[in-house]
Amino acid sequence: MTNAAVVTAPGEFLGHPKGLYVCFFTEMWERFSFYGMKVLLLLYLTKYHLFSDADGYDLLGAYAGLVYAMPVLGGLIADRYLGMRKSVILGGVLLCAGHLGMAFEGEQARMVDGALVQDAFALQVFYFSLALIVMGVGFLKPNISTIVGRLYPDHDPRRDSGFTLFYMGINLGAFASALLCGWLGETHGWHYGFGAAGLGMLVGLGVFIYGQKHLLGQAEPRDPALLRQRVAGALNREWFIYLSVVGGVFVVWVLIRFPPAVHWTMHAAALALSLGIGWFMWKHCTRVESQRMLVLIALIVFSIVFWALYEQSYGSWILYSDRVMNREAFGIEWTASQLASLGAFFIFILSPIFAWLWPRLDRAGLNPSTPAKFGLGIAFAGLSFAVLAASAAAPEDNGKAALWWFVAAYFLIEIGELLLSPIGLSAVTQLSVARVVSLMMGAWFLASAYAEVVAAWLGKLSSVELDATGAFDTAEALDKYASLFADLGWIGLGCGVFVLLLTPWLKRGISSR
């Protein structure tokens, strides 16, 4: 058999559908805006609006939890009614409005006669902007990824490399946003950082609208006639959905102002979902199906541990590096938010190594099983906290922690992410009973949302008390961070070892026939 030369079809560029590059740049700019805002959020709350650490963590957890939960709803509406193209545009419009709204600062909070005075109107604009971002991510994030898969025929060997390119866009956006938005926000003014994030999203939306003709008709509504049906007087279903989404923004706006309400909603959703899945397994699953579902449930629970640890990189790690860590390297004083770019940087470095490693281990019969990779991923996350705890317990001569231990911690936790994250969604489709694959996929995403709430609760354990001038005792703060990091290190290592010990039983459940 001879190898034929690869010929690029008219609708392709460099061997891939042109629609891939539309999705690549759209998602790159969306992630630029999302992470550009996220790295600044906790610093903005505690430095500009003078939130206490505990209140800042609560709001961060509520916001991030809703962000990760909303794609379940956005994906469902796109699948049944709007289609992916319309949903991405809807999400992009909401995100542009939300990120640009974040650029409105109002007056800086201040202490007057021992009482905290905040700009109430600016805070309401801020909360509403967060609500717009939550709804926008819910409609854009799940659907842009699905479009990429639809651009390739079944069993097309280019699909994996297409997704690899797509995820490079995600990390490129995350890397650039932390460096640029973080620098602008912390050194030139918060509105510049948030404004840059908003402009990035505006560019992403423009790219998608201009390039939507290259999506090959794969992102259209399942039943366009259904959208044209009138459901409320002269209002058709499509505009009814749009108005309902706007109403949903106001619901989120109310919720997000009361983080405990979001947290309790997450608890209730987790309980209801657990009971529903348990009932389904009891009534409708065979013994083999139940065993495989139990393995999947265990992996989902273990993922909560990992993501609760990982999300400290946008919580306690941000405040730690800002307050009690030396940040100078290569003659540059890096901001705390810029250092968050280390995560995406190590993903760039490590991804090709892992892509090379797994096939070779597989050929040698040494490729770890899915449960073993989960256990190793959690253990590496634990190791990253052990490194930070050691660094916080042994500061440098000026009383602050060393930067390079922080870099090492990022290196370790990103190894953990590459061990656990890429196989999670695959495990859902592999182990779910066919009738409830969508439900279990929703459970996976809701677990990530729940992990954000857990991460906020853990971060609050390191809350530092500031005086009226914003000053604090560095040694006391270091002790708090060292204590939290040591505890989380033991949790990660202990849970990782526990999963590895369970691996033989979990493997038997996976291989049940």
Side-chain angles (χ1 to χ4, degrees):
M1 181 183 295
T2 59
N3 291 326
V6 176
V7 178
T8 300
E12 296 182 354
F13 179 71
L14 298 178
H16 286 279
K18 290 181 180 178
L20 171 67
Y21 302 100
V22 174
C23 294
F24 173 96
F25 286 107
T26 301
E27 182 67 348
M28 182 191 77
W29 284 112
E30 188 274 330
R31 291 291 91 180
F32 176 91
S33 65
F34 178 79
Y35 285 111
M37 187 276 281
K38 191 174 182 181
V39 297
L40 289 171
L41 184 56
L42 189 57
L43 293 169
Y44 176 62
L45 290 172
T46 55
K47 287 186 170 184
Y48 191 80
H49 289 297
L50 300 187
F51 277 49
S52 67
D53 283 9
D55 289 341
Y57 283 121
D58 274 340
L59 182 56
L60 177 64
Y63 159 74
L66 288 169
V67 157
Y68 283 99
M70 202 57 69
V72 177
L73 177 63
L76 181 67
I77 292 175
D79 185 51
R80 292 192 177 183
Y81 301 111
L82 282 181
M84 291 163 286
R85 181 182 61 84
K86 290 176 182 287
S87 295
V88 168
I89 292 174
L90 171 61
V93 170
L94 293 170
L95 282 165
C96 286
H99 283 297
L100 293 174
M102 291 286 292
F104 177 75
E105 293 180 354
E107 293 186 14
Q108 181 165 2
R110 60 198 182 278
M111 300 297 295
V112 177
D113 296 328
L116 177 61
V117 178
Q118 296 172 308
D119 187 330
F121 177 74
L123 280 173
Q124 293 308 315
V125 172
F126 167 73
Y127 291 133
F128 193 74
S129 299
L130 290 182
L132 286 165
I133 293 171
V134 166
M135 294 298 288
V137 170
F139 279 88
L140 189 148
K141 181 63 177 170
N143 294 302
I144 194 77
S145 301
T146 307
I147 292 173
V148 173
R150 293 280 188 90
L151 294 173
Y152 296 91
D154 291 340
H155 310 299
D156 190 324
R158 301 173 301 165
R159 181 190 296 265
D160 287 348
S161 60
F163 269 104
T164 299
L165 285 170
F166 177 71
Y167 286 117
M168 285 293 288
I170 291 175
N171 286 292
L172 183 60
F175 177 73
S177 67
L179 289 177
L180 180 60
C181 298
W183 173 69
L184 286 171
E186 289 199 67
T187 60
H188 293 283
W190 302 106
H191 60 287
Y192 287 111
F194 292 131
L199 289 175
M201 187 60 243
L202 199 59
V203 172
L205 179 60
V207 167
F208 187 82
I209 292 174
Y210 176 77
Q212 59 185 317
K213 59 182 178 288
H214 296 299
L215 301 181
L216 310 178
Q218 295 297 319
E220 297 308 302
R222 179 185 297 180
D223 184 0
L226 198 62
L227 290 177
R228 293 193 293 269
Q229 288 180 357
R230 302 197 182 281
V231 295
L235 197 66
N236 64 30
R237 179 174 274 106
E238 181 173 355
W239 279 99
F240 178 77
I241 291 171
Y242 295 149
L243 291 177
S244 298
V245 169
V246 173
V249 171
F250 282 90
V251 172
V252 175
W253 179 42
V254 172
L255 272 177
I256 210 164
R257 288 181 293 172
F258 305 100
V262 177
H263 299 170
W264 281 107
T265 300
M266 292 289 180
H267 298 327
L271 178 61
L273 189 62
S274 300
L275 292 174
I277 293 171
W279 177 84
F280 174 82
M281 291 170 58
W282 178 55
K283 297 289 283 187
H284 300 286
C285 290
T286 65
R287 184 181 64 85
V288 170
E289 288 175 335
S290 293
Q291 287 178 337
R292 292 167 68 83
M293 288 283 284
L294 282 172
V295 172
L296 177 56
I297 291 169
L299 294 179
I300 289 174
V301 171
F302 297 144
S303 77
I304 294 175
V305 177
F306 176 82
W307 292 116
L309 297 177
Y310 184 87
E311 288 301 323
Q312 297 303 314
S313 59
Y314 293 98
S316 59
W317 286 25
I318 290 282
L319 294 185
Y320 170 78
S321 58
D322 178 65
R323 292 170 173 172
V324 296
M325 194 180 81
N326 294 310
R327 300 191 304 276
E328 184 177 348
F330 310 115
I332 300 172
E333 180 73 18
W334 303 90
T335 68
S337 52
Q338 283 182 303
L339 291 175
S341 65
L342 287 168
F345 172 77
F346 282 123
I347 291 292
F348 284 133
I349 300 298
L350 294 169
S351 291
I353 297 173
F354 276 81
W356 171 87
L357 179 64
W358 296 135
R360 282 156 180 78
L361 288 178
D362 195 55
R363 287 196 292 270
L366 298 174
N367 194 9
S369 65
T370 293
K373 288 176 180 175
F374 264 68
L376 289 170
I378 297 170
F380 268 96
L383 280 174
S384 72
F385 282 92
V387 166
L388 285 181
S391 175
E396 296 184 309
D397 292 341
N398 67 349
K400 293 188 174 183
L403 169 63
W404 292 108
W405 289 108
F406 191 69
V407 175
Y410 258 110
F411 175 75
L412 291 168
I413 205 165
E414 293 306 338
I415 290 177
E417 181 182 4
L418 287 171
L419 283 164
L420 182 145
S421 182
I423 62 171
L425 296 178
S426 175
V428 173
T429 57
Q430 176 191 0
L431 297 173
S432 292
V433 176
R435 288 163 289 173
V436 290
V437 170
S438 296
L439 177 67
M440 298 308 295
M441 193 67 75
W444 173 265
F445 285 113
L446 286 175
S448 299
Y450 194 74
E452 296 284 355
V453 175
V454 177
W457 176 75
L458 292 171
K460 288 167 65 175
L461 299 177
S462 65
S463 296
V464 174
E465 294 295 330
L466 310 180
D467 65 20
T469 65
F472 58 91
D473 186 297
T474 301
E476 182 181 335
L478 269 173
D479 286 342
K480 282 196 170 187
Y481 289 118
S483 176
L484 173 67
F485 295 157
D487 289 343
L488 296 185
W490 283 115
I491 289 172
L493 288 168
C495 186
V497 170
F498 178 68
V499 176
L500 290 172
L501 292 175
L502 282 181
T503 292
W505 175 81
L506 295 170
K507 285 174 64 178
R508 284 197 297 272
I510 292 174
S511 60
S512 297
R513 292 289 185 271

